[in-house]
Amino acid sequence: MSQVLAPALSGRRVLAGSDVPLGATWDGSGTNFALFSAHAEKVELCLFDSRGRREIERIELPEFTHQVWHGYLPDVRPGQLYGYRVHGPYAPEAGHRFNPNKLLLDPYALQHKGNLRWHEALFGYKLGHSHADLSYDRRDSAFVMPKCVVVDPAHTWGGDVRPDVPWGRTLIYEAHVGGITMGCDFVDEPLRGTFEGLADPRVIDHLVKLGVTSIELLPVQAFYDEGLLTEKGLVNWWGYSTIGFFAPAPRYLTHDGSLHEFKLMVRRLHEAGIEVIMDVVYNHTAEGSELGPTLSFRGIDNASYYTLADHPRYYFDTTGCGNSLNLRNSRVLQMVMDSLRYWVEDCHVDGFRFDLATTLGRDRDHYSEHAIFLEAVRQDPVLAGVKLIAEPWDTGPNGYQVGNFPPGWAEWNDRFRDNLRAYWRGDPGMLRQIAGGILGSAETFAHDGRRPWASVNFVTAHDGFTLIDLVSYNEKHNEANGEGNADGHSHNLSWNCGAEGPTDDPDILALREKQRRNLAASLLLSQGTPMILMGDERGRTQEGNNNTYCQPGPINWQDWDPSEANQAFEDFVRGVIAIRHRYGLFLAERYLHSGPDARRNRFVRWLRTDGEEMTAQDWDNAESRAVGLLMHESTTYLLMLMNASDADLDFTLPGADRRGWSVLVDSANDIADPETPVSVGGPEIPLPARCFLLLETGREQ
């Protein structure tokens, strides 16, 4: 195997430097470079011109300490572009894939510059070779690779104060940095789709008026478009393919922008009282399977960074993405922990949502809440004060772990999603399931002192139908993805209300609007932490596509159209959120269990339509689709009524002869108003078909 020839050195002074910290660290005089690789034989630092097109110098790092290659360059300053070439054995059968012909990204780089251009030179082996990845490719990949940037991380935060929203008051808005402003006319065109665009005061004002406390951003750590997508003219829109855990995705920066734009966005959201939660992907990387490209980790130390199969040529994969990070390796664990602390301490992020988090708690086939990563997070003082949310599943054995994450974690609750969808669709036998979800899914989460907020409740998320599509389509329509409509979930529990897709039928349209209000109200008024999807409050449609991961156009953009229909539903959602924030019974600090508490001043009761308490026989009646929930705390009585059947009913109000009731929410009549409730005149109230009601009254006299 031939060695890559390095350009002649310019006589630049290179000092030993330090093995800590990892990455490129500017100290005001020069830059220390440190790269972990346990199995490398030599590491070369490559410096590039200001455009990243020409390698101007190649410097062998002079020292190897504690498995870290390092050197200090007194003359290298912020703005310098760089990458690495790592020498070692190319022996895939033994788990090693070193190839110094491939320029590699620094795992600790704080910024990338340039785009990844898909080319055969990115691969460590010869594409199409009869020996596949056992072959060896000698082409230099630098011309198609982004470059790392030496960064001065200093930033003036001024009086930035974290909102520190209590979990019980948290309401999450899942959003995409690009999608929220790409179609926004009032944001300056160069800023649309960027961190600065999201920081526009008018965008933030929309979130504030809606009642959002926390915005959860789809992945913003550095990622790039996969080759198979670019060949189809598509993109990696969602970003679940990270290649730089410390760097912001370049596509969300303005031209020649910097990390400071991300920090500006955080500060402006904080000024409005809104937390920033990052969706992070530490379970796998963008390098994929053994047939994937060599971009960073694979070429730096494949055997350390990845969990290898029994045959080390292959990867042990529980993510469905070709590889799994090896968090049992102390240096890989350190990288992930350093990354989390960096975003909290340097960028003032308030929390994280962990994609496919079960993989992070694995020892191959075995998941444990005492896994090394979960224990590291539990004891870390920096992470003790931030929100931690798990997507509690992956694709591996025993991958479904809802309710099994350690105390202190919240978890996405897909059972809540599925049960609520099925109930409002009219499926039989759903009363018991939705009752548990409305009271915080205590059967799943009420252990080890966990609170109701541990259940992150949602009806829609980025992965799946939007809310309006959920009531407009029975089937997915993903043809635009170029996969023959075979991608995306088929078990959507959706209902088109009588016509597939767009229709002019006024009855179907009216039913769809009512179903949207039913789903939104029951989500937002359940115990737990509610999460709503960007654009659901304004009727954003994906035209029946439930897997828009690769779609760059308006199908993934927030709908800022000020139409009467959009505004009406937004007003309804805003009203329900205001009610949630006003009444302590909806806040998820303590479980609401059936029956009175020890002091008889807090209780809930499940009621039949005749106003009497539900019996075991009532719960087991699969054909029953109507129920009431009476909630009491201090001087407040609230009554939630739900009827998912096609029949109009009457509901006998409890204590109607002793106190009067008023309507706060009525999905049939588009009412959600905490300020001017509508009085109810008699002992019974009509409960129309497909209807959600919320009533309030004062203490019994």
Side-chain angles (χ1 to χ4, degrees):
M1 184 186 308
S2 66
Q3 294 291 323
V4 175
L5 296 177
L9 294 179
S10 63
R12 182 192 295 271
R13 189 162 53 112
V14 183
L15 305 180
S18 173
D19 62 313
V20 292
L22 292 168
T25 306
W26 159 253
D27 63 5
S29 299
T31 302
N32 190 80
F33 292 88
L35 180 75
F36 158 72
S37 180
H39 299 99
E41 297 170 353
K42 181 172 72 171
V43 172
E44 292 176 311
L45 171 68
C46 302
L47 304 182
F48 290 83
D49 65 14
S50 61
R51 302 176 69 184
R53 294 184 178 180
R54 185 170 62 91
E55 184 176 335
I56 57 176
E57 198 165 357
R58 196 175 299 181
I59 302 160
E60 182 177 340
L61 293 183
E63 297 291 337
F64 180 58
T65 307
H66 304 145
Q67 300 182 329
V68 175
W69 301 82
H70 56 93
Y72 182 87
L73 277 67
D75 301 323
V76 169
R77 289 174 168 74
Q80 175 65 59
L81 305 186
Y82 73 98
Y84 287 110
R85 299 182 188 275
V86 181
H87 298 252
Y90 187 82
E93 304 98 325
H96 300 306
R97 295 178 179 271
F98 295 100
N99 186 336
N101 299 284
K102 310 305 169 185
L103 187 75
L104 305 174
L105 294 167
D106 180 357
Y108 275 73
L110 301 184
Q111 187 175 340
H112 294 176
K113 182 172 182 177
N115 203 2
L116 181 74
R117 293 192 291 131
W118 280 91
H119 190 277
E120 291 184 358
L122 292 172
F123 294 80
Y125 65 96
K126 293 181 179 179
L127 286 177
H129 195 281
S130 59
H131 293 161
D133 62 301
L134 298 181
S135 63
Y136 185 81
D137 187 273
R138 289 180 168 82
R139 285 173 291 185
D140 191 334
S141 66
F143 73 106
V144 289
M145 282 289 292
K147 310 304 186 291
C148 303
V149 185
V150 176
V151 170
D152 179 357
H155 180 79
T156 301
W157 282 99
D160 182 60
V161 177
R162 296 179 184 276
D164 284 332
V165 179
W167 263 115
R169 289 190 56 251
T170 300
L171 194 152
I172 297 172
Y173 188 86
E174 190 194 34
H176 186 281
V177 169
I180 198 168
T181 61
M182 282 296 291
C184 189
D185 291 340
F186 57 74
V187 172
D188 291 343
E189 189 168 356
L191 302 183
R192 294 175 194 169
T194 69
F195 296 124
E196 285 207 55
L198 175 52
D200 187 285
R202 291 159 292 188
V203 176
I204 295 175
D205 186 58
H206 170 72
L207 301 175
V208 171
K209 289 180 177 177
L210 193 61
V212 169
T213 71
S214 312
I215 186 168
E216 180 178 301
L217 301 177
L218 266 66
V220 298
Q221 293 173 334
F223 66 93
Y224 297 94
D225 300 325
E226 292 89 338
L228 291 177
L229 292 178
T230 58
E231 289 173 4
K232 299 177 183 178
L234 302 173
V235 301
N236 179 353
W237 180 257
W238 288 348
Y240 290 95
S241 192
T242 308
I243 197 62
F245 295 114
F246 294 78
R251 68 189 62 192
Y252 300 140
L253 300 174
T254 61
H255 180 65
D256 289 332
S258 70
L259 178 65
H260 299 294
E261 296 176 8
F262 179 88
K263 295 178 178 179
L264 171 67
M265 176 198 71
V266 172
R267 179 176 175 179
R268 287 188 179 171
L269 285 162
H270 282 179
E271 288 171 351
I274 296 175
E275 296 178 315
V276 177
I277 297 173
M278 288 174 54
D279 195 336
V280 288
V281 187
Y282 295 113
N283 57 80
H284 75 281
T285 79
E287 292 183 305
S289 72
E290 72 278 1
L291 299 179
T294 297
L295 308 175
S296 180
F297 313 98
R298 174 172 286 139
I300 294 171
D301 193 345
N302 184 70
S304 293
Y305 276 104
Y306 293 117
T307 302
L308 302 182
D310 293 337
H311 190 308
R313 175 184 175 184
Y314 305 104
Y315 296 93
F316 183 80
D317 175 24
T318 57
T319 69
C321 300
N323 64 62
S324 301
L325 270 182
N326 180 19
L327 294 182
R328 290 176 299 158
N329 182 289
S330 61
R331 286 294 191 177
V332 181
L333 175 65
Q334 176 192 352
M335 177 188 70
V336 173
M337 297 301 294
D338 285 349
S339 171
L340 291 170
R341 286 188 290 262
Y342 168 75
W343 290 101
V344 173
E345 293 184 308
D346 283 58
C347 302
H348 292 202
V349 163
D350 303 287
F352 303 95
R353 180 264 190 189
F354 293 82
D355 179 65
L356 298 181
T358 296
T359 292
L360 306 179
R362 279 188 180 276
D363 183 357
R364 300 182 77 83
D365 289 345
H366 178 64
Y367 167 83
S368 171
E369 69 171 271
H370 299 292
I372 184 171
F373 169 74
L374 298 177
E375 289 292 331
V377 170
R378 190 196 300 248
Q379 61 77 45
D380 192 281
V382 173
L383 302 181
V386 303
K387 290 182 165 67
L388 304 173
I389 303 171
E391 183 185 39
W393 50 77
D394 66 13
T395 64
N398 304 308
Y400 191 76
Q401 294 292 334
V402 174
N404 294 330
F405 274 72
W409 284 72
E411 304 174 38
W412 272 27
N413 187 352
D414 63 326
R415 291 173 183 159
F416 178 95
R417 174 198 65 194
D418 291 351
N419 290 337
L420 206 62
R421 288 183 177 191
Y423 172 73
W424 283 113
R425 187 171 74 163
D427 289 8
M430 295 305 302
L431 283 187
R432 192 182 296 276
Q433 286 86 337
I434 65 152
I438 286 171
L439 293 184
S441 301
E443 70 284 357
T444 302
F445 296 102
H447 59 84
D448 296 318
R450 300 183 77 181
R451 300 300 179 106
W453 54 255
S455 175
V456 176
N457 300 331
F458 62 104
V459 176
T460 55
H462 69 274
D463 187 3
F465 282 142
T466 65
L467 184 59
I468 199 166
D469 287 358
L470 187 66
V471 300
S472 303
Y473 294 91
N474 284 347
E475 308 295 336
K476 63 183 181 182
H477 297 270
N478 298 356
E479 291 81 6
N481 296 352
E483 300 179 42
N485 204 34
D487 61 304
H489 298 292
S490 295
H491 183 64
N492 293 296
L493 296 169
S494 58
W495 179 42
N496 65 21
C497 297
E500 188 73 357
T503 180
D504 294 327
D505 187 310
D507 292 334
I508 293 176
L509 292 173
L511 179 56
R512 288 177 178 176
E513 289 302 297
K514 186 162 61 169
Q515 286 288 86
R516 277 208 292 166
R517 293 191 288 266
N518 289 335
L519 288 159
S522 43
L523 164 66
L524 293 168
L525 298 178
S526 291
Q527 287 277 290
T529 302
M531 183 185 80
I532 58 179
L533 173 63
M534 179 191 84
D536 273 355
E537 77 279 12
R538 299 191 58 78
R540 183 176 73 86
T541 178
Q542 294 173 175
E543 300 171 5
N545 191 323
N546 73 350
N547 190 33
T548 60
Y549 75 102
C550 59
Q551 297 297 325
I555 196 172
N556 268 317
W557 297 355
Q558 169 68 298
D559 184 355
W560 292 102
D561 178 8
S563 68
E564 184 177 343
N566 281 356
Q567 192 58 54
F569 189 69
E570 182 182 330
D571 289 344
F572 179 85
V573 172
R574 183 185 299 141
V576 175
I577 291 174
I579 290 168
R580 177 183 180 85
H581 288 321
R582 170 171 292 193
Y583 293 94
L585 280 164
F586 296 122
L587 304 184
E589 295 292 354
R590 292 184 292 167
Y591 284 101
L592 291 170
H593 295 293
S594 295
D597 63 10
R599 298 182 180 180
R600 301 188 62 82
N601 62 3
R602 179 183 175 91
F603 66 79
V604 299
R605 293 195 183 105
W606 290 99
L607 306 177
R608 302 184 309 215
T609 56
D610 63 1
E612 298 299 321
E613 288 200 45
M614 292 278 288
T615 66
Q617 185 177 3
D618 296 323
W619 287 116
D620 292 337
N621 180 1
E623 297 307 312
S624 179
R625 293 172 174 82
V627 71
L629 174 63
L630 178 64
M631 297 175 282
H632 167 62
E633 183 176 46
S634 184
T635 61
T636 302
Y637 285 84
L638 295 171
L639 179 62
M640 185 185 299
L641 306 179
M642 296 180 292
N643 177 15
S645 75
D646 290 321
D648 293 338
L649 304 171
D650 289 322
F651 198 100
T652 301
L653 298 172
D657 57 332
R658 298 184 297 277
R659 56 181 178 267
W661 291 91
S662 299
V663 176
L664 293 171
V665 178
D666 181 347
S667 68
N669 293 297
D670 194 11
I671 295 173
D673 188 350
E675 303 299 334
T676 56
V678 180
S679 297
V680 177
E684 291 185 340
I685 186 172
L687 183 57
R690 310 277 182 182
C691 181
F692 178 102
L693 295 177
L694 180 70
L695 299 88
E696 70 164 345
T697 189
R699 175 181 290 276
E700 276 184 272
Q701 300 299 318

